[in-house]
């Protein structure tokens, strides 16, 4: 066994002992400042694939402090992301993110992490319709993104676009994929020009509108039925990204000196987020209990609520003409989400 093999072996054993010795919950912990934190895992010059709206340093963000905080679970060691190990483990496999632009945030983070780990490995990148695929031919690994903001279907009807809460034909694309990571929430509250549909259909009843959290839960239950009917746990691992929080209202973290995430350069280090549990996460947790097949929740909500400093703010694709306190800078918080994904994959 070479040096790389020994490193991988000890990463796995260290994590296994930490988790199984203390029944560790890797999602409970705190952000700690670490000046040497991977320097960071990559930087924007290492990864030409970062979308402009996530490329905060390229867009002029002057501070780097937000890149120097790592997630420290309370009772165990979170293994460092090892891209070569990841590629070896998933040789010949397909990994698909399904969701909205927060899925895109995490997908691009993983692409950057893997590209940094194997900078000389040849790759291919293509987008066909709503499906983007980044592949490493030497490993026969594909990292895919299926853009599907609601998981359920939207169809063009005679009188406009219809959001069908009980229909999930889009799921045909997900069948047989080795790892699925789902996400939905960001678009459910949009109205006006940002709203993606004109009507909502619930079973055989069509509404002009309805309570959005009710519609969200109904869609999640349709997704849960799809998982129960279509996933073979021996072939497919299923994850749900959890709900990524925004930081548009500083009352959520009781900062009278700010209104939004603009100007924030440090996380909440007290671990307190006074707004409490995210209401969409409460609904998601309830629905996940109804899924009979194994689904691993990437419980990113609480730890991300503490990262008011991690958003593009005025350094997104609109520059100073817009404020983005919803998405995340890359490198940044989604890299931790992928460390947690890596840890979960090691454990399973």
């Amino acid at each position: 066994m070479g040096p790389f093999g020994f490193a991988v072996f000890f990463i796995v054993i260290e994590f296994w002992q930490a988790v199984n010795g203390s029944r560790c919950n890797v999602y409970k912990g705190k952000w700690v400042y670490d000046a040497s934190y991977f320097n960071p895992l990559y930087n924007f010059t290492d990864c030409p694939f970062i979308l402009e709206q996530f490329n905060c340093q390229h867009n002029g963000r002057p501070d780097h402090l937000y890149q120097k905080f790592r997630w420290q679970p309370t009772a165990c060691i979170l293994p460092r992301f090892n891209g070569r190990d990841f590629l070896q483990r998933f040789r010949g496999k397909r990994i698909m993110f399904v969701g909205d632009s927060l899925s895109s945030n995490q997908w691009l983070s993983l692409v950057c992490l893997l590209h940094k780990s194997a900078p000389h490995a040849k790759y291919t990148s293509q987008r066909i319709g709503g499906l983007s695929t980044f592949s490493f031919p030497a490993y026969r690994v594909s990292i895919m993104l299926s853009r599907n903001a609601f998981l359920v279907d939207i169809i063009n009807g005679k009188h406009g676009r219809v959001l069908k809460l009980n229909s999930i034909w889009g799921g045909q694309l997900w069948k047989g994929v080795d790892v699925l990571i789902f996400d939905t929430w960001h678009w459910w509250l949009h109205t006006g020009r940002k709203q993606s549909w004109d009507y909502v259909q619930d079973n055989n009843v069509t509404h002009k509108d309805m309570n959005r959290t009710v519609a969200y839960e109904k869609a999640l239950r349709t997704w849960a039925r799809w998982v129960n009917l279509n996933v073979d746990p021996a072939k497919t691992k299923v994850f749900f990204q959890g709900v990524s929080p925004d930081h548009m209202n500083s009352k959520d973290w009781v900062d009278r000196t700010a209104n939004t995430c603009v100007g924030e350069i440090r996380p909440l280090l007290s671990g307190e987020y006074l707004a409490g549990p995210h209401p969409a996460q409460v609904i998601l947790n309830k629905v996940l209990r109804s899924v009979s097949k194994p689904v691993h929740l990437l419980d990113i909500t609480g730890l991300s609520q503490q990262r008011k400093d991690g958003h593009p703010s005025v350094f997104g694709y609109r520059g100073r003409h817009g404020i983005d306190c919803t998405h995340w800078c890359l490198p940044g918080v989604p890299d931790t989400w992928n460390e947690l994904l890596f840890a979960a994959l090691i454990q399973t």
Side-chain angles (χ1 to χ4, degrees), residues 43-320:
N43 60 55
F44 75 90
T45 58
D46 297 321
C47 189
F49 322 110
I50 303 175
L51 294 178
E52 183 182 359
Q53 56 263 43
F54 307 145
N55 205 342
C56 303
Q57 292 294 317
H58 183 265
N59 293 337
R61 180 165 177 167
D63 64 296
H64 295 79
L65 187 62
Y66 70 96
Q67 296 179 344
K68 297 297 183 180
F69 288 89
R70 62 177 173 81
W71 180 246
Q72 177 60 61
T74 301
C76 59
I77 300 167
L78 185 63
R80 293 191 172 192
F81 186 90
N82 188 316
R84 288 186 179 275
D85 181 26
F86 192 104
L87 290 169
Q88 290 286 1
R89 285 172 179 271
F90 289 94
R91 184 179 291 273
K93 304 295 185 181
R94 295 184 299 157
I95 299 166
M96 181 184 287
F97 292 85
V98 182
D100 55 28
S101 51
L102 278 310
S103 280
S104 178
N105 234 173
Q106 187 176 2
W107 173 72
L108 279 169
S109 164
L110 183 57
V111 167
C112 289
L113 289 165
L114 295 174
H115 179 64
K116 173 68 173 180
S117 298
H120 302 298
K122 292 183 178 180
Y123 63 84
T124 62
S125 179
Q126 66 174 353
R127 177 173 177 175
I128 301 175
L131 181 67
S132 295
T133 303
F134 192 97
S135 300
F136 293 89
Y139 296 90
R140 295 179 292 112
V141 172
S142 295
I143 314 296
M144 298 179 286
L145 170 67
S146 173
R147 292 165 180 82
N148 190 324
F150 302 96
L151 302 184
V152 292
D153 300 327
I154 294 179
I155 64 165
N156 290 315
K158 186 190 310 183
H159 302 292
R161 302 161 300 174
V162 182
L163 176 66
K164 306 191 75 171
L165 297 179
N166 313 106
S167 173
I168 200 160
W169 283 104
Q172 298 297 317
L173 183 65
W174 315 334
K175 291 182 177 180
V177 174
D178 299 286
V179 179
L180 291 167
I181 305 104
F182 292 97
D183 152 65
T184 183
W185 169 247
H186 180 52
W187 282 85
W188 283 93
L189 299 182
H190 285 179
T191 58
R193 290 186 300 173
K194 287 189 174 183
Q195 184 173 299
S196 301
W197 41 266
D198 302 300
Y199 300 93
V200 185
Q201 183 176 324
D202 181 18
N203 290 316
N204 295 320
V205 180
T206 300
H207 307 270
K208 180 62 179 172
D209 204 351
M210 66 185 298
N211 181 287
R212 301 304 178 83
T213 56
V214 171
Y216 171 69
E217 181 172 347
K218 287 178 179 289
L220 284 179
R221 293 196 179 280
T222 298
W223 166 83
R225 287 191 293 273
W226 183 90
V227 171
N228 286 336
L229 290 172
N230 292 281
V231 168
D232 179 355
K235 298 179 179 179
T236 301
K237 297 181 187 297
V238 180
F239 294 82
F240 208 104
Q241 187 194 66
V243 175
S244 176
D246 65 52
H247 289 88
M248 287 300 298
N249 186 352
S250 65
K251 291 180 182 178
D252 290 344
W253 62 92
V254 191
D255 183 352
R256 295 181 180 179
T257 66
N259 293 315
T260 64
C261 68
V262 174
E264 297 289 349
I265 61 172
R266 293 179 177 81
L268 289 167
L269 298 180
S270 66
E272 291 186 12
Y273 189 79
L274 297 184
H278 197 293
Q281 187 67 44
V282 173
I283 294 170
L284 174 60
N285 289 342
K286 180 170 63 172
V287 172
L288 288 178
R289 289 193 289 269
S290 71
V291 184
S292 60
K293 301 291 178 66
V295 176
H296 184 105
L297 173 64
L298 287 174
D299 196 3
I300 58 141
T301 307
L303 61 92
S304 301
Q305 283 177 325
Q306 299 174 38
R307 292 307 306 268
K308 57 187 173 64
D309 59 319
H311 300 286
S313 176
V314 295
F315 301 104
Y317 71 97
R318 295 179 181 175
R320 296 186 179 276

